[in-house]
Amino acid sequence: MKRAALAAIPLVAASAAAEPLRLRGDALATTASPAGLLVLNADGKLEERLSAEAVVWMAGSRTPGEDTTGDVLVIAVRGRSRDGKTNARLGRFVSTMGALRPVHVDGGSVRLRLPHRFDAEAVAGVPVVLGLGTGRAWDWVAGGRVSRRIGFGGSVGVAYAQRRDRGVRASEELGADVGAELNKRTDVGARAAYDLVGEGLAEIMVSASHRRGALRAEAYASQRSPSHLVPATSLFSVIGDVPAQRAGGVLTWRAAPRLDVIGDLAALRVDDDLGTDLTARGRLRLDDKGAGQITGELRRSGVDDHAWTGARLAVRVPVSRQITLSSEIELIVPDDDRRGAAWPWGLAAASWRCADWEAAIAVEASASPEYTRRLDGLFQLSRRWEGP
Amino acid sequence: MTRAIWIAILVALAACAGVLGLKRGGSDLFPHRAHVTKGVSCTRCHAGMEKDTGPLHLPDDATCVSCHDKPHDTRPCLGCHAPKDAIAQLVESRDHLKFDHGKHLTGAATGNCMRCHKGVAEGDAAMRPAMATCFNCHAHGESRDARRCETCHKNLAEEGTLPASHLAHDGNWMREHGARAASSGDLCSTCHKESFCADCHGVTAPVIPAKLRLMDPLASSVHRANFSARHALEARAQPGLCTTCHQQDRCVSCHLARGVAGDTAGSPHPRGWVGLTSSENLHGREARRDPAACASCHGGAGEQLCVSCHKVGGVGGNPHPAGWSSRQPLSSLPCRMCHPNGAR
């Protein structure tokens, strides 16, 4: 699959050359493992209704004797009928169907726009796993969603998907979702997924936001049951339903044309333990376009004795049209100090952009539960090509 | 004292007014209203509208001095008398939209530029009409429904315009998008390419996307900044969230690759993890909270470790809570590990 995909990149590129073809290569080198990463990205349009995209990567290790690895993130062709009522995808892509969890799949999907603003979509394929393997016989996922559009971007829908690992039912979920713009200022969205194998609510999320002048408020709540999210073939799916809940609100205030102040307060509940997640953030744009910015953040988060307090400051300053300097520092103080009383982290970077080239160099320094002291260097070089 | 604080705040605001964007450069704004009230027609300055090709229809210095015959400066007029972001907005519009002023000048909008450019009298911030203004005349409902945005937009993904109302990417969009994008997937795909979702939700994603944007610390990202230090604490606060993107064996594969815990030399578990009394049995509570974390190491053949105690008649007792049920047949995995031959 990997070799076929790599071979297919030029094909995608060549076939897409009829319309502007975009190619991008990113090379990342770090002193940490993996030592090198090369990402190749190509996309373009055969014609107005047919497009293709591919992203492949290769990573090298700094440890002698270790193999170079690589994989395909996306390789997909997307087509659409002349009237836009039928869309189809073929290849490797991430399928998102309403309330069901996104699935990375090698397969195909189709979406039909039906009369009276109804839509039907279906996906089928083989779930993607890391690397190459021969044990994927009888692994498959299939599902569908029926929905009705509401207003401009919203819809209400019901989705179903079943996944089999080696022929055995690993998950079977039924989902319901709704999202709509109630008026120009108010949006709502909700989704819920029910585990049909373990018979229980797997996940539910609700969000509603309202804008008025310089203020935007959002209220949200979610519940997630991890035992319904592991495959039904796992022993860990049988040890009971202990959902984690979270509810809170976010207030965003444009205090000045270039200054945003954001407050996020949430209550958490995991089993019998309660906790909070409190964030206060200020964002100052140094110019009208926001090319230069300063962001400061204070945060208190966690449950039980696994809570932490942190502060973060990030700055990005363009010093010329080509050169941008940036820096980010963070200090975390965990309540439980057995693995360090404080975990400081900092990154300083300089980037250069000229025509189709981009380059960046950075130094990262930190102390963490893993290392008492650590210093890493990062270098990135990117090149972009655009076809005729 | 309170008065002194307020005075200090006002002084600070005044001092920072430019930085905060409160003080706008007066000479940057073009006095459109003054020209209109003097009877100057739009096309007298913005010439060539009837043939909407080539450069923008911004007046050159010769046009200005045809009336303002004594310019106060030798520099280009629009260098000072037009905000740079307004011109940038016009350049973006020309680059990304399929639009022909000529067709509009011969239609219903003949001689009435203000019909679309409503905000001009108030300043230059709204030179580009809002999309809703287009829909006042053009019935694009069918195109919008079918997400055929290319009727007007050349390439939305390249354009980079954020939604103004529905699905506005404000606040904490990284968290919010899960609830919002569920019912608007087709709308998201009008701007975002396949790799946008796969960067995070793709099983084969090579590296966290933030690593590939190291020059941009302000870009929103799930795992920004010092995430590797915090990840254990964050995972405990939101059990099950990691599995939205990561496969079950992600924890152990990463820990093994980095040589952190999970190795055969030492246990990653704290003292009192497994014991015969309830006070020494932390593992049961933690396993119920986030079974995916356990499955990362103890999945597959590793499950035998669990069922060696938690089996019918075993010292670990019944792992099922009261009222537990499943549609899995007893003959299938994982039931048959404890219930051989379908025994209850």
Side-chain angles (χ1 to χ4, degrees), chain A residues 73-90:
Chain A
L73 184 62
V74 167
I75 185 157
V77 177
R78 181 194 284 257
R80 197 184 64 194
S81 64
R82 191 177 298 277
D83 59 4
K85 290 183 176 173
T86 306
N87 289 271
R89 283 182 296 176
L90 194 65

Side-chain angles (χ1 to χ4, degrees), chain A residues 19-343:
Chain A
E19 277 285 304
L21 158 73
R22 284 173 294 274
L23 289 165
R24 186 184 167 101
D26 291 285
L28 181 73
T30 71
T31 50
S33 183
L37 179 71
L38 179 66
V39 182
L40 298 174
N41 190 324
D43 70 275
K45 285 186 175 179
L46 263 170
E47 53 172 284
E48 201 66 66
R49 292 175 286 118
L50 193 62
S51 62
E53 185 184 349
V55 181
V56 297
W57 60 269
M58 283 157 278
S61 171
R62 62 176 176 170
T63 310
E66 278 191 16
D67 288 341
T68 298
T69 57
D71 219 321
V72 178
L73 184 62
V74 167
I75 185 157
V77 177
R78 181 194 284 257
R80 197 184 64 194
S81 64
R82 191 177 298 277
D83 59 4
K85 290 183 176 173
T86 306
N87 289 271
R89 283 182 296 176
L90 194 65
R92 173 172 289 192
F93 55 88
V94 170
S95 166
T96 52
M97 275 197 305
L100 306 182
R101 280 171 285 163
V103 185
H104 201 190
V105 67
D106 286 327
S109 76
V110 64
R111 181 187 188 104
L112 302 172
R113 297 198 181 277
L114 306 171
H116 306 293
R117 307 197 78 197
F118 278 96
D119 285 357
E121 49 190 312
V123 64
V126 179
V128 175
V129 292
L130 273 172
L132 294 171
T134 55
R136 301 184 64 195
W138 309 110
D139 284 11
W140 55 261
V141 60
R145 176 174 179 259
V146 178
S147 59
R148 188 178 189 281
R149 273 164 277 148
I150 306 172
F152 170 42
S155 71
V156 55
V158 180
Y160 167 86
Q162 184 174 149
R163 178 172 173 161
R164 298 248 169 184
D165 289 347
R166 298 167 201 268
V168 180
R169 187 170 50 178
S171 74
E172 188 179 10
E173 277 188 337
L174 186 66
D177 62 89
V178 62
E181 184 184 58
L182 297 184
N183 54 49
K184 287 290 176 195
R185 292 174 170 172
T186 311
D187 290 341
V188 292
R191 59 187 272 191
Y194 188 83
D195 174 15
L196 292 171
V197 184
E199 295 181 336
L201 195 63
E203 196 172 21
I204 184 165
M205 288 186 203
V206 182
S207 169
S209 67
H210 182 76
R211 288 179 299 281
R212 186 174 286 272
L215 288 173
R216 179 183 190 266
E218 187 219 350
Y220 62 89
S222 66
Q223 175 174 307
R224 193 175 284 114
S225 295
S227 66
H228 293 295
L229 299 174
V230 295
T233 49
S234 167
L235 187 68
F236 298 98
S237 64
V238 308
I239 57 178
D241 198 6
V242 181
Q245 287 128 351
R246 181 186 180 94
V250 184
L251 188 65
T252 306
W253 175 39
R254 178 147 291 188
R258 290 182 185 169
L259 177 67
D260 294 341
V261 179
I262 301 161
D264 188 340
L265 175 63
L268 321 173
R269 184 172 174 227
V270 181
D271 202 359
D272 293 329
D273 292 332
L274 296 174
T276 54
D277 191 348
L278 171 64
T279 305
R281 184 183 305 134
R283 184 170 54 211
L284 176 67
R285 286 173 290 278
L286 301 177
D287 52 76
D288 287 340
K289 299 280 272 182
Q293 279 190 38
I294 299 174
T295 295
E297 182 180 296
L298 294 172
R299 192 168 170 197
R300 168 79 187 162
S301 179
V303 290
D304 202 10
D305 59 346
H306 301 301
W308 56 278
T309 307
R312 172 179 172 254
L313 182 70
V315 181
R316 183 180 61 202
V317 182
V319 292
S320 71
R321 286 175 69 90
Q322 281 90 28
I323 297 172
T324 301
L325 301 178
S326 59
S327 183
E328 186 175 9
I329 53 173
E330 186 182 78
L331 179 67
I332 301 296
V333 179
D335 287 6
D336 180 356
D337 60 2
R338 280 178 297 176
R339 291 192 295 167
W343 304 327

